[in-house]
Amino acid sequence: MGPVRELTELADLRRCERVQRTVWGGDELEVTAASQLKAAVHAGALVAGAFEGDELLGFVFSFPSYTRCGDGWRVGQHSHLLAVRPEARGRGIGRQLKWFQRAWCLARGVTHVTWTFDPLQARNARLNLEHLGAYATRYYPDFYGPLGGLNGTGPSDRLLAEWPLTAPHVAALAAGEARAAPPTAVATGLELDPEGRPLVHRVPADAQAVRLEVPARVDLRGGDPLTLTWRLALREVMQPLLARGLRATRFFRGGYLLEAAAHAPDA
């Protein structure tokens, strides 16, 4: 696999359209068009692609963002798309694209990146929280409405990931250092029962660390009733925990670790 590079020419941006159709399928109107990518890049967005020879294996797309920070506003990037072709998965391409994004942002004085992801997608959760060092702070029920394609027709719940690019733990991960072992003294809020269904537990109001287990894989496209059961159970438990100030900081052994801000990684 060749190096990641910025994509600014229409010919390359049209390849991003094709990758989106391959990865997600669904309504043609949901594909971010090359013309829109071109305008966004002109206005300060990033589109970067990972190649093997002349073949585009995956790309990342982020655009400038402004979020509340105390009494002011923080300028950052919101990472809207990260797509890797199915046959190229498992090769670390997603990580490579995100570390390129971090370097690109830091070179421009941007220190904070956000994005949303499906909390039931365990593989994405592990990449975002465990390998990149992002943390999730908010739970948005049915954020996009029905998406179709790979995402199916159920609620499109999303977690908001925040990536503090200069935090010591993120810098250590970027340098290839291993993460410290996660804490073991945690309350359990959600786990799989013997039939693979969600088992919800009461979480003490003063819990400083909570574990939420999720299935390794769910069928979003096929309308499996168990997927909706898991969606609603995770929403029931996770949304109020995040709302009271806990953050999802790790994903290990098939589940989220939520920690109080005082015990969470540097922000």
Side-chain angles (χ1 to χ4, degrees), residues 130 169 172-173 177-183 249-250 252-253 257 259 265:
E130 199 66 17
H169 77 282
L173 288 169
E177 296 182 20
R179 297 206 73 166
T249 58
R250 304 287 296 269
F252 62 98
R253 294 198 300 275
L257 172 68
E259 298 181 273

Side-chain angles (χ1 to χ4, degrees), residues 98-99 101-102 111-113 115 132-134 161-165 170:
K98 294 300 287 185
W99 290 126
Q101 181 184 51
R102 176 179 182 267
T111 61
H112 201 82
V113 175
W115 62 89
L132 299 177
E162 300 193 41
W163 199 21
L165 303 184
V170 175

Side-chain angles (χ1 to χ4, degrees), residues 118-123 125 190-192 196 198 211-218 230 234 238 251-256:
D118 187 333
L120 276 183
Q121 293 282 6
R123 184 171 182 169
L190 186 63
E191 63 179 338
L192 279 75
R211 177 172 162 76
L212 306 179
E213 192 175 5
V214 296
R217 287 183 176 81
V218 292
W230 268 102
L234 184 59
M238 196 173 202
F251 191 91
F252 62 98
R253 294 198 300 275
Y256 290 94

Side-chain angles (χ1 to χ4, degrees), residues 3-92:
V4 175
R5 62 177 174 85
E6 287 186 65
L7 307 180
T8 59
E9 300 300 321
L10 275 174
D12 281 334
L13 299 175
R14 289 191 181 104
R15 296 183 185 194
C16 295
E17 291 182 354
R18 294 194 287 273
V19 170
Q20 291 175 73
R21 295 188 190 99
T22 298
V23 171
W24 289 299
D27 193 328
E28 181 75 13
L29 294 176
E30 296 294 344
V31 172
T32 303
S35 58
Q36 184 176 351
L37 294 174
K38 180 72 174 180
V41 167
H42 182 73
L46 166 68
V47 181
F51 286 82
E52 187 166 63
D54 193 46
E55 182 182 4
L56 179 64
L57 300 180
F59 76 96
V60 63
F61 165 47
S62 64
F63 49 79
S65 65
Y66 300 88
T67 56
R68 278 286 185 188
C69 184
D71 294 330
W73 295 88
R74 176 169 54 200
V75 179
Q77 286 264 316
H78 184 76
S79 193
H80 181 52
L81 298 174
L82 176 66
V84 178
R85 296 176 65 92
E87 67 274 16
R89 291 172 189 162
R91 298 168 55 182

Side-chain angles (χ1 to χ4, degrees), residues 76-248:
Q77 286 264 316
H78 184 76
S79 193
H80 181 52
L81 298 174
L82 176 66
V84 178
R85 296 176 65 92
E87 67 274 16
R89 291 172 189 162
R91 298 168 55 182
I93 294 171
R95 268 186 260 185
Q96 187 179 12
L97 287 164
K98 294 300 287 185
W99 290 126
F100 181 94
Q101 181 184 51
R102 176 179 182 267
W104 185 93
C105 286
L106 290 177
R108 289 156 180 79
V110 174
T111 61
H112 201 82
V113 175
T114 58
W115 62 89
T116 61
F117 69 97
D118 187 333
L120 276 183
Q121 293 282 6
R123 184 171 182 169
N124 288 347
R126 183 169 175 79
L127 168 66
N128 296 334
L129 306 188
E130 199 66 17
H131 294 299
L132 299 177
Y135 53 89
T137 57
R138 296 181 187 175
Y139 192 110
Y140 297 118
D142 202 21
F143 186 69
Y144 293 109
L147 290 170
L150 180 66
N151 295 282
T153 58
S156 57
D157 289 18
R158 293 294 184 267
L159 287 174
L160 177 68
E162 300 193 41
W163 199 21
L165 303 184
T166 58
H169 77 282
V170 175
L173 288 169
E177 296 182 20
R179 297 206 73 166
T184 56
V186 298
T188 298
L190 186 63
E191 63 179 338
L192 279 75
D193 74 7
E195 285 75 43
R197 300 180 62 82
L199 183 60
V200 175
H201 298 278
R202 179 183 171 277
V203 177
D206 60 350
Q208 298 295 296
V210 182
R211 177 172 162 76
L212 306 179
E213 192 175 5
V214 296
R217 287 183 176 81
V218 292
D219 178 16
L220 296 173
R221 187 192 295 267
D224 183 353
L226 186 55
T227 297
L228 181 59
T229 300
W230 268 102
R231 174 79 70 204
L232 298 179
L234 184 59
R235 182 193 297 178
E236 174 192 347
V237 178
M238 196 173 202
Q239 187 175 15
L241 290 174
L242 295 178
R244 82 182 198 200
L246 274 70
R247 299 189 292 192

